Amino acid sequence: MRVSSSVKNGVVESFYSNGILSSAVSYRHGKKDGFCKHYLRNGQLRAYGKFSIGKMTGTWKWWRENGMLWQIGNFKDGKKNGSWKVYDKSGKLQLNYIFRNNKNIKK
């Protein structure tokens, strides 16, 4: 991580006590900006998405401990916006929502 005047810039990594990477988050001028990855203790990817000037943006994905996709959804300006899908433990589509400005408008 590069630090300029105590403001975070670049990729900031956090680790579990066992040394496994728990997260890698991009920062620019002290705000989350760019990719964000969170991992389980076993090193498996738990969540992936992007930030823009501190707000969640674009498509985000979350996975279950069994490695199956759990949720996939879209953000705009830090709010749920667009398609949002939730899958059961076997990977079958369980719920399909449509959000606009963080409000569920269609199930």
Side-chain angles (χ1 to χ4, degrees):
M1 172 180 80
R2 295 182 305 269
V3 178
S4 173
S5 302
S6 300
V7 175
K8 293 179 183 178
N9 279 298
V11 177
V12 176
E13 295 179 332
S14 299
F15 295 86
Y16 290 109
S17 60
N18 63 2
I20 298 291
L21 183 66
S22 68
S23 66
V25 182
S26 294
Y27 282 84
R28 184 173 178 195
H29 305 296
K31 293 188 177 185
K32 293 177 182 178
D33 196 75
F35 78 88
C36 175
K37 295 179 183 179
H38 289 276
Y39 298 89
L40 297 168
R41 288 187 175 276
N42 64 6
Q44 176 183 308
L45 189 61
R46 173 66 168 181
Y48 176 83
K50 293 184 180 181
F51 280 90
S52 178
I53 314 169
K55 296 180 180 179
M56 297 169 93
T57 189
T59 302
W60 276 71
K61 293 181 182 181
W62 290 265
W63 289 268
R64 295 181 182 277
E65 289 185 26
N66 66 5
M68 300 296 290
L69 184 63
W70 174 34
Q71 294 185 51
I72 183 169
N74 295 287
F75 287 88
K76 182 177 179 182
D77 295 324
K79 297 177 180 178
K80 292 179 181 180
N81 197 67
S83 176
W84 199 273
K85 296 179 182 182
V86 180
Y87 298 88
D88 67 16
K89 290 181 180 180
S90 68
K92 181 180 173 187
L93 182 63
Q94 187 175 15
L95 299 167
N96 189 11
Y97 299 103
I98 302 292
F99 282 88
R100 184 174 296 134
N101 202 29
N102 228 28
K103 294 182 180 168
N104 183 4
I105 61 171
K106 183 180 177 187
K107 212 174 202 182

